[in-house]
Amino acid sequence: MSDCLFCKILDGDIPADIVFESETAIAFRDINPRAPTHVLIIPRKHIATLNDISVEDEAIVGSLYSAARLIAAEEGIAEEGYRAVMNCNAAAGQTVFHIHLHLLGGRALGWPPG
Ligand code: 5GP
Ligand code: ZN
């Protein structure tokens, strides 16, 4: 997708602080971090929203959570706790339409989100 910000990061056209790469996913630090650790984990495949995930994408989406587990351990937040969350569409605040897990940690996280 030529007009997708995260596809441009995947292609190296826009720089990012990449912390993880696998066959199916990459992860990089959020440009506007909302917590001491705020990493975005995205699939290499362009999928616009959670609503667009198909059965064939299940392994790819699963790999986002495997990445979250590994990055949380690397960041030293696995034991204290963290959140891995995907916003879907306007009411949830999705602004970039290439699915991404927000990995947030390093501080107490309120529940429910505002
Ligand atoms: P959403 O609101 O779609 O769930 O999350 C999009 C996230 O992407 C936001 O947290 C925002 O700060 C982040 N973001 C937007 N543009 C860029 C960028 O160019 N680089 C990086 N690293 N993060 C970005
Ligand atoms: Zn994309």
Side-chain angles (χ1 to χ4, degrees):
M1 287 284 288
S2 55
D3 59 346
C4 170
L5 176 67
F6 287 174
C7 282
K8 286 179 180 155
I9 288 176
L10 277 162
D11 290 343
D13 294 339
I14 292 177
D17 184 0
I18 293 170
V19 298
F20 173 90
E21 290 187 79
S22 74
E23 206 175 297
T24 54
I26 73 163
F28 49 88
R29 296 195 190 279
D30 197 292
I31 204 167
N32 181 24
R34 304 306 181 105
T37 291
H38 188 174
V39 170
L40 302 174
I41 306 164
I42 73 170
R44 291 188 186 274
K45 178 180 177 182
H46 178 89
I47 302 169
T49 80
L50 198 156
N51 290 335
D52 301 301
I53 294 170
S54 64
V55 173
E56 301 85 71
D57 298 326
E58 283 178 356
I60 289 173
V61 175
S63 78
L64 304 182
Y65 284 92
S66 293
R69 173 173 53 78
L70 294 168
I71 296 162
E74 188 68 28
E75 294 280 312
I77 57 173
E79 299 309 319
E80 68 191 48
Y82 59 93
R83 189 167 293 157
V85 65
M86 186 180 291
N87 298 324
C88 182
N89 278 338
Q94 185 177 6
T95 58
V96 178
F97 289 85
H98 179 133
I99 60 167
H100 47 282
L101 268 189
H102 291 263
L103 174 63
L104 295 149
R107 66 169 172 82
L109 300 166
W111 188 262

